[in-house]
RNA sequence: GGCCCCAUCGUCUAGUGGCCUAGGACACCGCCCUUUCACGGCGGCGACAUGGGUUCAAAUCCCAUUGGGGUCACCA
């Protein structure tokens, strides 16, 4: 058998979607497993939506995942228009394609009519009278080119399904291959480029299954070989059981808003007011699941209802990076969405996956994307990762999160932070828990609930304990984890106070909240001066409260 | 709605006619560990969608029903 050549062919309209990432991964895995080639092609024939920025982001995401492509000069469809046109001229000459003149509005009307008559809309060649043609010319209409799909049965073998998929003759339809703007449609570009690039295996989502009938008809007309087709399952959202989509994030915000308004008995008007979004806009959005908040509106609303970026379901590869996942983990998890190596094996390195990958172990049922399990893979990964590996990971995380105070840390400090956080699940968790260590004292924010609970409650019992701890700290000469531990243990035994009662007020004083890495590690990291300064500031706040 | 695809614990899955009183992982529930949040340890709950066939034998094969998903663009 000749060499396997696979490809990933995204359209550059934004960051890489996890669904796309999985498709890319499967293609990459197949190529690597067989010692074949994995090629990249940019499908930028939609001039209105494709941007250079998006292409850049896409490539960055792909590189981050480690899915290196083998064609140094990857293909841009927009640069191949002349090639497509020449082939389209050939089809025209041979009577396998023709010009069609309907406007989008006319087509819509035809579709609507078909729907009303409860029959499927099938476009077949129509005759235009001389009058029609004159009118089109007067109106300055532009034509599209449609391909004549032979009215016969179309059939292809799907290697994942393990069977033939058939389209009956009556469903044949003359589809557009060149748009009015002169660009080829997806169908045409794919077929020509796959052939030119020598693609042997097409692994793509099941949403493309029906397109395949168009593609094989075109291949026949153009005299191309047919690649092997494998249609992958569709990854479903746990939110609504439908195709994983960017919209899920918006849906989560809407759901949270509704809960929030119910529990706080807030009216949409006042939510709109505090968020700074027009009332009509907000209410309309609340009542219309198909509507989405803009990127500017989202954070405003989220802030009011207490949602963080990290609380939103990750959809784009970039989201996973920002939230502190490592590419190996994402890849591992994605591979298991629709594929299994068997033998109860789950956690694998990239090399393991390359070795085990095979088409006949691909599953066809649609999996729901289970983030909890992904998170647990992440936990296991970090637990086993060497310190140097973790350091590399957190630096990558910080590059994607420039606002994190941890960016001020030296490598040694980062290593220390990682060490004291052992058992963490995501890098974002390390960030959240440890940011206070790198924050200037005056930028530290105190959480009111934590102050109430651990300092003020029970006649300021916590504040009193904290004052006692301050005295202990003043006397500590060996400001190390063990030195601090010894001193505090002593104090605890002498004063008959449990460590819990002593540690929590200190934690609040130095971190601003009730959660931090282990207390002695944190204190040792901060140093004596900062510790005392923060305790003093906290004590002052407590006494004035 | 037409067409296409699918169907094992809540979720991801192992299982390819007898090894299955169905295995693993995540989640969940107990208990333990513990200065917070986590991590960890031990134990537990939990599935072959339903109905018909085929067969000595069915989670595994066939059919129907039900349920889910996809798709019906000058977007890819």
């Amino acid at each position: 058998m000749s060499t396997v050549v696979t490809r990933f062919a995204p359209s550059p309209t934004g960051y890489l979607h996890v669904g796309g990432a999985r498709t890319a991964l499967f293609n990459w895995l197949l190529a690597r497993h067989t010692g074949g080639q994995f090629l990249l092609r940019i499908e930028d024939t939609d001039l209105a939506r494709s941007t250079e920025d998006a292409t850049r982001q896409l490539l960055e995401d792909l590189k981050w995942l480690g899915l290196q492509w083998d064609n140094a000069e990857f293909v841009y469809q927009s640069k191949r228009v002349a090639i497509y046109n020449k082939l389209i001229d050939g089809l025209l000459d041979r009577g396998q394609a023709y010009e069609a003149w309907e406007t989008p509005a006319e087509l819509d009307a035809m579709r609507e009519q078909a729907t009303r008559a409860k029959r499927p809309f099938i476009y077949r060649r129509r005759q235009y009278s001389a009058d029609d043609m004159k009118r089109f010319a007067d109106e300055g209409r532009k034509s599209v080119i449609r391909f004549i799909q032979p009215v016969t049965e179309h059939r292809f073998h799907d290697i994942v399904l393990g069977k033939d998929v058939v389209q009956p003759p009556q469903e044949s339809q003359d589809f557009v291959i060149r748009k009015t703007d002169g660009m080829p449609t997806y169908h045409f570009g794919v077929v020509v480029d796959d052939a030119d690039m020598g693609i042997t295996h097409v692994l793509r989502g099941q949403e493309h299954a029906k397109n395949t009938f168009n593609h094989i008809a075109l291949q026949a007309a153009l005299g191309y070989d047919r690649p092997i087709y494998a249609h992958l399952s569709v990854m479903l959202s746990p939110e609504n059981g439908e195709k994983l989509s960017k919209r899920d994030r918006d849906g989560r915000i809407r759901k949270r808003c509704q809960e929030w308004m119910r529990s706080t008995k807030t009216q949409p008007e006042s939510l709109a007011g505090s968020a700074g979004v027009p009332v009509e806009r907000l209410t309309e959005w609340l009542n219309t699941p198909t509507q989405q908040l803009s990127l500017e509106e989202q954070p405003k609303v989220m802030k009011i209802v207490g949602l963080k970026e990290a609380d939103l379901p990750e959809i784009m590869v970039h989201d996973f990076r920002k939230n502190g996942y490592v590419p190996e983990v994402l890849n591992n998890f994605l591979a298991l969405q629709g594929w299994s190596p068997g033998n109860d094996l789950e956690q694998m390195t990239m090399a393991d996956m390359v070795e085990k990958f095979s088409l006949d172990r691909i599953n066809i049922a649609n999996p729901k994307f289970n983030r909890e399990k992904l998170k647990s893979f992440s936990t296991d990964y970090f637990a086993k990762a060497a310190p140097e590996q973790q350091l590399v990971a957190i630096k990558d995380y910080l590059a994607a999160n420039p606002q994190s105070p941890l960016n001020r840390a030296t490598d040694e400090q980062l290593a220390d932070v990682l060490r004291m956080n052992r058992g963490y699940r995501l890098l974002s968790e390390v960030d959240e828990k440890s940011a206070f260590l790198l924050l200037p004292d005056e930028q530290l924010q105190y959480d009111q609930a934590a102050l109430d609970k651990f300092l003020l409650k029970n006649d300021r019992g916590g504040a009193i304990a904290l004052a006692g701890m301050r005295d202990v700290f003043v006397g500590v000469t060996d400001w190390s984890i063990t030195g601090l531990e010894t001193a505090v243990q002593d104090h605890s035994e002498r004063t008959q106070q449990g460590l819990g009662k002593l540690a929590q007020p200190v934690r609040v004083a130095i971190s601003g909240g009730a959660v931090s890495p282990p207390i002695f590690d944190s204190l040792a990291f901060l140093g004596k001066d900062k510790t005392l300064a923060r305790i003093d500031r906290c004590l002052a706040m407590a006494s004035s409260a």
Side-chain angles (χ1 to χ4, degrees):
Chain A
M1 190 181 140
S2 57
T3 329
V4 168
V5 184
T6 65
R7 46 77 164 175
F8 181 55
S11 65
T13 54
Y15 286 106
L16 180 60
H17 187 280
V18 262
R22 188 194 56 162
T23 302
L25 175 66
F26 278 46
N27 278 285
W28 182 86
L29 247 15
L30 179 63
R32 291 291 170 270
H33 176 79
T34 56
Q37 297 235 298
F38 171 67
L39 307 181
L40 182 62
R41 175 172 80 225
I42 303 295
E43 308 217 323
D44 55 350
T45 53
D46 183 346
L47 268 10
R49 294 201 306 158
S50 303
T51 68
E52 257 177 60
D53 226 31
T55 307
R56 212 199 64 245
Q57 286 167 343
L58 216 46
L59 297 183
E60 195 180 313
D61 290 338
L62 229 36
K63 274 188 200 149
W64 182 75
L65 286 168
L67 306 181
Q68 192 54 56
W69 51 93
D70 299 317
N71 49 340
E73 293 281 313
F74 48 76
V75 177
Y76 279 96
Q77 289 189 323
S78 59
K79 295 181 184 161
R80 291 169 49 82
V81 177
I83 296 167
Y84 303 129
N85 279 335
K86 201 166 166 218
L87 289 162
I88 289 173
D89 287 343
L91 290 174
L92 250 12
D93 289 345
R94 296 195 297 277
Q96 290 172 299
Y98 60 88
E99 283 184 295
W101 295 90
E102 292 75 28
T103 62
E106 285 170 352
L107 289 169
D108 280 348
M110 288 159 72
R111 270 183 214 105
E112 206 179 308
Q113 201 183 359
T115 310
R116 264 203 310 270
K118 290 188 200 289
R119 57 179 169 76
F121 175 64
I122 299 283
Y123 188 102
R124 294 273 172 76
R125 187 165 197 170
R126 312 170 80 215
Q127 296 305 324
Y128 305 108
S129 67
D131 285 354
D132 286 339
M133 293 305 291
K134 180 167 184 313
R135 199 178 84 238
F136 298 158
D138 290 347
E139 288 173 10
R141 280 196 196 187
K142 286 190 177 149
S143 67
V144 297
I145 306 296
R146 284 184 183 264
F147 171 72
I148 302 174
Q149 185 173 37
V151 183
T152 57
E153 177 186 282
H154 295 272
R155 173 191 292 268
F156 70 92
H157 184 77
D158 187 301
I159 200 165
V160 167
L161 293 180
K163 65 177 187 187
D164 285 3
V165 189
V166 181
Q167 174 178 279
Q170 67 274 19
E171 283 178 38
S172 292
Q173 162 152 234
D174 297 349
F175 55 92
V176 176
I177 54 177
R178 188 169 71 200
K179 306 185 268 187
T180 48
D181 66 2
M183 295 300 276
T185 58
Y186 159 73
H187 303 297
F188 198 76
V190 173
V191 167
V192 173
D193 292 344
D194 280 350
D196 280 1
M197 293 164 78
I199 304 303
T200 60
H201 292 68
V202 174
L203 273 62
R204 52 163 45 151
Q206 224 164 64
E207 52 267 47
H208 288 291
K210 294 207 128 178
N211 294 335
T212 308
F213 296 117
N214 292 354
H215 301 173
I216 58 176
L218 234 23
Q219 280 153 5
L222 264 9
Y224 294 147
D225 286 341
R226 183 186 295 185
I228 292 167
Y229 284 105
H231 290 98
L232 272 20
S233 54
V234 177
M235 282 199 282
L236 268 25
S237 161
E239 312 271 325
N240 56 14
E242 290 167 19
K243 198 161 81 164
L244 213 49
S245 122
K246 263 189 271 195
R247 229 172 237 181
D248 296 352
R249 309 188 117 223
D250 196 74
R252 175 73 67 85
I253 302 174
R254 182 181 292 105
K255 206 167 141 199
R256 171 70 197 159
C257 282
Q258 279 152 355
E259 283 165 10
W260 184 82
M261 290 194 305
R262 212 176 311 125
S263 69
T264 60
K265 301 206 169 30
T266 309
Q267 294 304 308
E269 292 73 32
S270 83
L271 173 57
S274 20
V277 176
V279 184
E280 318 80 60
R281 167 80 182 122
L282 189 92
T283 42
E284 198 189 344
W285 168 75
L286 280 170
N287 297 322
T288 340
T290 49
Q291 279 216 4
Q292 290 192 70
L293 243 33
S294 74
L295 253 33
E296 291 75 47
E297 293 165 328
Q298 273 191 4
K300 293 182 191 165
V301 173
M302 283 165 67
K303 196 167 172 205
I304 304 302
V305 299
L307 260 185
K308 290 182 313 243
E309 180 82 13
D311 297 329
L312 299 182
E314 302 94 347
I315 303 293
M316 300 300 176
V317 168
H318 188 74
D319 300 333
F320 291 91
R321 184 181 179 197
K322 271 198 86 159
N323 283 357
Y325 288 94
V326 127
E328 291 88 323
V329 167
L330 220 210
N331 280 322
N332 187 172
F333 183 76
L334 250 23
L336 262 20
Q337 299 284 293
W339 173 74
S340 159
N343 298 114
D344 296 334
L345 180 61
E346 287 198 324
Q347 296 190 17
M348 291 168 279
T349 62
M350 293 293 268
D352 293 335
M353 291 191 278
V354 166
E355 188 204 318
K356 311 247 182 236
F357 190 77
S358 78
L359 288 174
D360 56 19
R361 294 199 59 91
I362 292 181
N363 286 94
I364 31 201
N366 299 339
K368 275 203 190 93
F369 195 87
N370 179 352
R371 289 190 185 72
E372 281 307 319
K373 183 152 177 161
L374 169 63
K375 202 187 268 189
S376 120
F377 275 28
S378 178
T379 309
D380 288 345
Y381 174 88
F382 289 126
K384 288 186 204 128
E388 312 80 66
Q389 222 176 332
Q390 295 183 52
L391 186 62
V392 170
I394 200 162
K395 288 172 88 166
D396 177 70
Y397 165 85
L398 290 173
N401 290 277
Q403 81 297 342
S404 168
L406 255 32
N407 276 296
R408 301 171 208 225
T410 62
D411 283 8
E412 289 70 35
Q413 287 179 313
L414 281 179
D416 202 20
V417 166
L418 253 6
R419 182 196 51 75
M420 69 174 87
N421 274 289
R422 77 188 80 76
Y424 64 93
R425 314 200 70 183
L426 300 177
L427 293 161
S428 54
E429 192 182 311
V430 174
D431 189 5
E432 269 172 48
K433 262 163 75 170
S434 319
F436 76 93
L437 292 170
L438 275 303
L439 225 45
D441 291 350
E442 66 278 8
Q443 281 181 29
L444 191 67
Q445 304 266 333
Y446 285 91
D447 171 43
Q448 194 55 48
L451 284 172
D452 288 344
K453 183 163 180 203
F454 297 110
L455 276 307
L456 305 175
K457 218 176 65 182
N458 297 332
D459 289 335
R460 301 170 191 272
I464 294 162
L466 180 58
M469 289 295 281
R470 188 194 187 280
D471 294 339
V472 174
F473 291 141
V474 169
V476 171
T477 47
D478 173 16
W479 196 270
S480 66
I481 299 173
T482 50
L484 285 158
E485 196 165 0
T486 316
V488 174
Q489 288 284 8
D490 261 20
H491 176 70
S492 159
E493 277 163 36
R494 238 181 315 107
T495 60
Q496 299 273 312
Q497 299 179 86
L499 229 38
K501 285 266 180 280
L502 298 173
Q504 274 316 86
V506 175
R507 194 185 307 282
V508 174
I510 62 167
S511 77
V515 175
S516 83
I519 193 73
F520 299 118
D521 296 70
S522 302
L523 289 166
F525 187 100
L526 264 186
K528 192 168 183 172
D529 293 349
K530 277 178 175 279
T531 299
L532 293 178
R534 290 184 185 193
I535 290 178
D536 287 340
R537 181 175 160 208
C538 186
L539 247 18
M541 288 175 67
S543 64
S544 66

